[in-house]
Amino acid sequence: MRKPDLTGKSVVLGVTGGIAAYKACEVVSRLRKLGADVYVIMTKNACEFVQPLTFETLSNHPVVTDTFERPATWEVEHIALAKRADVFAIAPATANILAKMAHGIADDMLSTTVLATKAPVLVAPAMNTGMWTAAITQENCAVLKQRGVHFVGPDAGFLACGDTGSGRMSEPAAIVDAIAALLCPVQDMAGLRVMVTAGATRERLDPVRYMTNDSSGKMGFAVAEAAMKRGASVTVVAGSVTAPIPAGCEVVRVESTQDLYDVVTTRAPEMDVIIQAAAPADYRFAVTYTEKHKKAHDGQPLVIELIENPDIAAAVGTAKKPGQTLVGFAAETENLHANAAKKLAKKNLDLIVANDVSQPGAGFNVDTNIATLITRDGMTECPLRTKKELAQDILDKVMEIRNA
Ligand code: PMT
């Protein structure tokens, strides 16, 4: 693999107090070899594990710590570092710094500077497995992920405390790869035209009543945003949504499944990749009213007939052009893999993202998802992760299929 060129990029590396602090030396050394300018901030406890002089020598810059007498420039210095960072990484990141970051506590140089930065933040957690799996640590990590903090690791294995389990800091090479990916985002979708559907459709009965579902648009928008970041030109076809539509893409708004069908089938021939994360209503009202439908006053049940809507994904699948990659989602509550695999075949898709929407943390109107990526050749499990992370996994799979 070609080594990234990080010349001209500044990385601020926070080092907190854990035995893995010694591995942060290798992170600095590797970043410098790739051309990056590295500034190290050490917490007081980190200085118990590694001497600041080691980082000063490796980074070729003074190391900022809380152990020295702070001159009056303290305030200026931390803001300057916060602004200078192209990426702000913390390795190792203890449970303590993760908790402080999640709750906005700024009581030392590192926590103050990371709070002030506008740069992407990456953390490499390292701690005892009990601390890592503690509910409060997991909650803090979920909060940070939701705010866009990137994570690398922790890995599982033998820990310095003698335990075996999850909590070991990722290897320096993996941390440097993650930092480089943030500094030089992959542009593997440059030149591709991608259409993403998102949100729910609404089927109107009359001017004041409609049938819909809980789709917020979060999943589709995460895919659209990720595709844009990877260089694609993106068209979003959005139904009813509560999440903000990402900036920078073409947006077409629709209401009903028929509207969605019309837009998607018309625009499909010009697209290289079509990803259908929307939740279109499968049925619409057989009879609709232009005026508000009056309530019957005789206490009789109201019987409403529903008729089936067209299947958009199936129509796009039937008209599939050579070179197109078609991705569908399957929202299931039982027999996840079998039902999704049937949809993959029936709709002539290349990939189906199967999510069991009855699972906590998965499906409608949450920031996370749990999915299985199913192709004709196999399955990849994607346990609980943010929709933004899942979006990257989906696009990785799309590019794998296209490059096969
Ligand atoms: O928007 P969020 O709140 O983030 O929620 C995300 C989600 C749960 C909506 C998303 O992850 C998801 O599962 N989307 C698909 C929902 C759905 O309609 O699933 P389905 O199994 O009923 O349909 C299978 C596929 O056919 C889907 O790609 C769907 O877009 C498509 N379809 C469905 C019905 C229809 N008439 N035409 C279609 O093209």
Side-chain angles (χ1 to χ4, degrees):
M1 203 176 77
R2 208 167 60 84
K3 287 195 170 153
D5 180 5
L6 304 185
T7 309
K9 308 281 186 194
S10 294
V11 177
V12 174
L13 180 70
V15 182
T16 63
I19 184 64
Y22 79 93
K23 286 200 206 169
C25 300
E26 192 182 335
V27 173
V28 176
S29 162
R30 284 174 176 264
L31 285 169
R32 291 263 291 143
K33 280 185 190 146
L34 294 174
D37 209 9
V38 186
Y39 299 86
V40 177
I41 304 176
M42 297 178 77
T43 61
K44 194 167 181 291
N45 287 341
C47 298
E48 303 290 329
F49 289 90
V50 182
Q51 286 294 314
L53 183 63
T54 311
F55 284 109
E56 268 179 17
T57 312
L58 290 168
S59 68
N60 205 27
H61 286 299
V63 168
V64 179
T65 69
D66 289 298
T67 55
F68 304 133
E69 286 290 301
R70 304 305 315 158
T73 57
W74 191 91
E75 196 56 32
V76 178
E77 196 179 340
H78 90 100
I79 294 296
L81 271 183
K83 283 186 182 161
R84 185 172 296 155
D86 293 313
V87 162
F88 200 118
I90 303 182
T94 56
N96 188 46
I97 188 72
L98 297 174
K100 284 193 202 177
M101 287 166 69
H103 298 281
I105 295 170
D107 62 354
D108 62 6
M109 190 64 180
L110 177 59
S111 53
T112 314
T113 315
V114 74
L115 184 63
T117 194
K118 297 277 180 276
V121 176
L122 173 90
V123 292
M127 66 198 76
N128 162 271
T129 194
M131 292 171 77
W132 172 248
T133 52
I136 185 66
T137 305
Q138 290 303 310
E139 277 170 29
N140 288 336
C141 290
V143 167
L144 293 173
K145 283 184 180 178
Q146 202 179 322
R147 292 199 197 121
V149 171
H150 303 269
F151 278 66
V152 52
D155 296 345
F158 182 74
L159 304 175
C161 56
D163 282 354
T164 303
S166 197
R168 201 171 70 172
M169 190 174 87
S170 290
E171 290 306 316
I175 296 170
V176 170
D177 283 351
I179 293 172
L182 290 173
L183 289 169
C184 313
V186 193
Q187 290 289 290
D188 58 350
M189 299 189 82
L192 293 181
R193 289 152 306 169
V194 176
M195 177 158 61
V196 182
T197 70
T201 60
R202 283 179 177 178
E203 302 298 337
R204 288 209 169 266
L205 175 69
D206 66 20
V208 298
R209 301 183 182 97
Y210 54 79
M211 176 169 62
T212 190
N213 59 63
D214 286 328
S215 175
S216 61
K218 288 179 182 188
M219 189 66 247
F221 295 160
V223 173
E225 197 160 11
M228 275 190 288
K229 284 192 179 147
R230 290 167 78 145
S233 124
V234 176
T235 299
V236 164
V237 190
S240 161
V241 294
T242 50
I245 300 181
C249 53
E250 181 195 11
V251 181
V252 185
R253 296 305 304 259
V254 295
E255 183 172 85
S256 66
T257 296
Q258 185 63 51
D259 297 341
L260 185 63
Y261 178 93
D262 293 342
V263 173
V264 171
T265 53
T266 306
R267 300 293 301 275
E270 67 195 78
M271 299 295 164
D272 300 300
V273 179
I274 301 171
I275 302 178
Q276 304 196 51
D282 288 321
Y283 293 92
R284 66 179 184 275
F285 297 107
V287 178
T288 58
Y289 303 91
T290 49
E291 303 300 335
K292 184 180 171 197
H293 189 53
K294 290 288 175 218
K295 184 179 164 191
H297 289 289
D298 54 6
Q300 291 302 305
L302 174 66
V303 178
I304 296 181
E305 195 186 350
L306 298 176
I307 53 174
E308 204 173 331
N309 267 326
D311 189 315
I312 306 149
V316 172
T318 306
K320 183 179 175 190
K321 286 184 9 178
Q324 270 186 337
T325 312
L326 304 183
V327 181
F329 275 68
E332 306 293 340
T333 55
E334 56 179 346
N335 302 325
L336 179 68
H337 293 168
N339 287 342
K342 268 189 216 153
K343 288 178 184 172
L344 175 85
K346 193 172 160 212
K347 299 176 191 236
N348 194 24
L349 299 165
D350 297 290
L351 167 65
I352 193 149
V353 182
N355 45 188
D356 179 343
V357 293
S358 64
Q359 294 245 18
F364 294 94
N365 202 16
V366 284
D367 292 312
T368 52
N369 210 346
I370 303 167
T372 311
L373 308 187
I374 305 178
T375 63
R376 288 192 199 96
D377 301 328
M379 293 187 190
T380 310
E381 292 297 344
C382 298
L384 184 69
R385 62 201 57 201
T386 62
K387 284 183 175 168
K388 283 177 195 282
E389 287 168 333
L390 180 61
Q392 294 291 357
D393 296 327
I394 294 166
L395 296 182
D396 286 348
K397 189 59 86 181
V398 164
M399 295 314 290
E400 195 182 303
I401 293 167
R402 292 186 68 81
N403 295 330

